[in-house]
Structures are given as C-alpha cells and as structure tokens.
Amino acid sequence: MMVRSALLNVMMGAARKAARSLVRDYGEVEHLQVSMKGPADFVSSADIRCEKTLRAELKKARPGFGFLLEEGGEIAGDDKSHRWIIDPIDGTTNFLHGIPNFCISIGLERDGEMVAGVVYQPLGDEMFHAEKGAGAFLNERRLRVSARRKMEECVFTTGIPFHGRPGHQTFLKELTAVMGQVAGIRRFGSAALDLAYVAAGRCDGYWEAGIKPWDIAAGIVLVKEAGGYVSDYDGGAAMLETGELVAANDHLHQPLLKLLRSARG
Ligand code: LIP
C-alpha cells in the first residue's frame, strides 16, 4: 500500500484545484486574453489564473516557503531552505493552439536540491509524482525508466528552438548526430511531460537546451526517483542554472551525452 507524504498531498491537491479553471479555459481557448512576453513566447489569462490558485494553495499549506514562478517571478519566503518552482502551464503554445499536451508543474527545492515533484496532465488525469527516497508514481502505479540499452531501439524527445530563440544551428547539429542512431525522435512541446514520459519508460531519453528552471524542476525528481540519470550537457548537476538537460536510463545517458558533445564540437 503506497503511503504518500503530507507534502505530496498538498502539492497534488493544489494541482488538482488549479486544473479545474485550466480545463475550463482550455475549452474556451479562443476567447482567452493572450499577450506576448517575447517573440513566440505567450502568456494567457489562463496561465495567470492557474498560477494564482497554485500560489494561494501552497502558501496556505506552507506559509514560509519561497516561490520561483514562471509568471510571478522570484518571491522570497521566511523559510530560506524551501522554495516552490512552478510552471502553471508547461506547454503554453500547445494549450493556446488546442493541442492537448500541456501540464501543471510543481517542484520543491530544499537547500538547493530538488526533493519533490508533481507534473499533472489534467486532460488525461495523469498525476506524475515523486519525492526523494520514496520513488516515482503515475497515479497509484510505481514508475521505472525504460530498460532499453540499444540506441537503435530508442525513442528520444527534445525541444526545437523557434522564432526569436537562439541555438538553431547547434540544435540542427545535435539532431543530425542523434537521429541517425535511434528508432525515433519526438517533439511534444512540454519539457515537464517529456521528463515524466522518461520516468514512465514511455520514452528512453530527453535532451534540450535553453529551458527555464520551472520547465524542468519537478521532472528532474521524477526521472531520478524512477531510476534514471539527469545531468547538464557537461555531465554535471547545474541543469537549473544552465538551462541544459540530458535525461535517460543508466545505459543510454552517457552515449547520448557523448553524441551531443560530439555534435557541439
Ligand atoms: C516550454 C517547454 C518546452 C520548450 C518550449 C517552452 P512553456 O515551456 O516546456 O520544452 O521547448 O520552448 O519553453 O513556455 O510552455 O512553459
């Protein structure tokens, strides 16, 4: 019988509550107020509403914890050890185009280490959750990363830079280096769900550069607690700082890292 900590219950409760308005907004996406944060970088009234609910629920449960919010920015708390890292809608471009691949992502950082993560895909009611030392789960089912060892049997996910984003040429070199070695590459449009799918063994690995801490904070805990490896492009642990991340099982992590490094020269 799986016993969930009070902390995870708080995080999952906040995600479910915020998802109610999110699913409603998704049904009326064409009527949403949308503004641009930068080239092809959207924020909608749905992002703001969802983030407000998450913040209120988590503040009520843990008043002293700080926040790093995609829309609201950094908010210091009295408790300097704990910080929520939140993306109200990861996959915003999908959401605004009516593409049903988006989620709520809540990560908890303790003294600089990610220790708990929730990624909730509301349309499919898929609640991915993990806590340091307690394993990773999809709803009630325990998760393990895939056991595949051969690149040619693997499906990897990644993020493709777009209008206004840097790194197009570097990404094309990475893609060229990887695509000839594997069974498939997918671009789903949500880093948090990409990491959840690696934790669930649906995909065998994921890599991306130019991502934000709130896109990956929760997913890092999911992959680690499902027995996978996560690093930055140098093989270190500075994913949140560098915005570069490579995740896979222990057979594939180093070979994928090597391919990316050879491509980047
Ligand atoms: C998205 C990430 C995705 C990345 C997109 C964007 P958002 O986050 O999840 O992996 O490729 O450029 O950053 O903007 O939907 O929260």
Side-chain angles (χ1 to χ4, degrees):
M1 175 46 208
M2 176 187 41
V3 181
R4 266 199 300 270
S5 74
L7 185 71
L8 264 184
N9 282 330
V10 161
M11 294 166 77
M12 293 160 72
R16 280 194 194 287
K17 184 160 184 181
R20 285 190 217 128
S21 69
L22 196 54
V23 171
R24 211 176 31 247
D25 287 340
Y26 182 68
E28 300 152 7
V29 76
E30 63 283 359
H31 303 306
L32 282 178
Q33 237 185 309
V34 180
S35 45
M36 305 285 284
K37 291 190 285 186
D41 195 358
F42 308 98
V43 58
S44 74
S45 46
D47 294 82
I48 307 295
R49 204 181 345 267
C50 181
E51 189 169 283
K52 206 157 158 258
T53 306
L54 292 170
R55 197 173 148 197
E57 289 301 305
L58 295 169
K59 186 125 193 89
K60 202 167 33 180
R62 296 289 187 280
F65 287 15
F67 288 90
L68 175 58
L69 304 153
E70 175 165 14
E71 311 312 339
E74 186 85 52
I75 297 162
D78 300 335
D79 173 338
K80 300 302 175 204
S81 284
H82 292 96
R83 183 173 70 152
W84 301 112
I85 303 182
I86 291 175
D87 191 338
I89 310 180
D90 191 50
T92 297
T93 304
N94 285 346
F95 179 89
L96 294 173
H97 284 252
I99 301 168
N101 195 61
F102 59 86
C103 64
I104 291 170
S105 178
I106 307 171
L108 177 63
E109 186 188 54
R110 179 179 295 138
D111 300 320
E113 183 191 10
M114 296 309 307
V115 293
V118 161
V119 170
Y120 183 46
Q121 197 270 67
L123 297 179
D125 194 23
E126 291 202 315
M127 181 70 79
F128 298 91
H129 52 99
E131 193 168 359
K132 188 175 176 201
F137 298 82
L138 166 51
N139 300 332
E140 310 303 316
R141 184 166 62 82
R142 179 105 193 211
L143 297 179
R144 292 295 304 165
V145 291
S146 85
R148 288 187 192 85
R149 295 165 172 252
K150 297 193 187 124
M151 277 278 186
E152 61 269 23
E153 294 169 359
C154 289
V155 172
F156 289 143
T157 62
T158 189
I160 303 174
F162 44 85
H163 169 63
R165 285 284 174 91
H168 293 214
Q169 293 317 315
T170 306
F171 174 76
L172 290 173
K173 288 184 197 151
E174 294 171 0
L175 186 63
T176 309
V178 176
M179 69 189 189
Q181 310 293 320
V182 298
I185 294 179
R186 301 290 180 271
R187 199 308 189 227
F188 288 129
S190 161
L193 282 174
D194 287 337
L195 288 164
Y197 288 6
V198 171
R202 292 175 183 173
C203 298
D204 304 291
Y206 158 73
W207 87 92
E208 188 165 3
I211 27 176
K212 303 288 186 220
W214 43 79
D215 297 328
I216 55 175
I220 288 169
V221 189
L222 289 172
V223 173
K224 286 185 176 175
E225 285 300 317
Y229 279 66
V230 183
S231 79
D232 56 36
Y233 277 22
D234 296 329
M239 294 79 71
L240 298 188
E241 298 78 7
T242 60
E244 295 174 346
L245 187 148
V246 180
N249 67 28
D250 55 352
H251 309 292
L252 299 165
H253 184 262
Q254 281 303 324
L256 177 56
L257 208 48
K258 212 157 144 239
L259 272 177
L260 295 171
R261 278 206 198 123
S262 68
R264 296 166 78 95

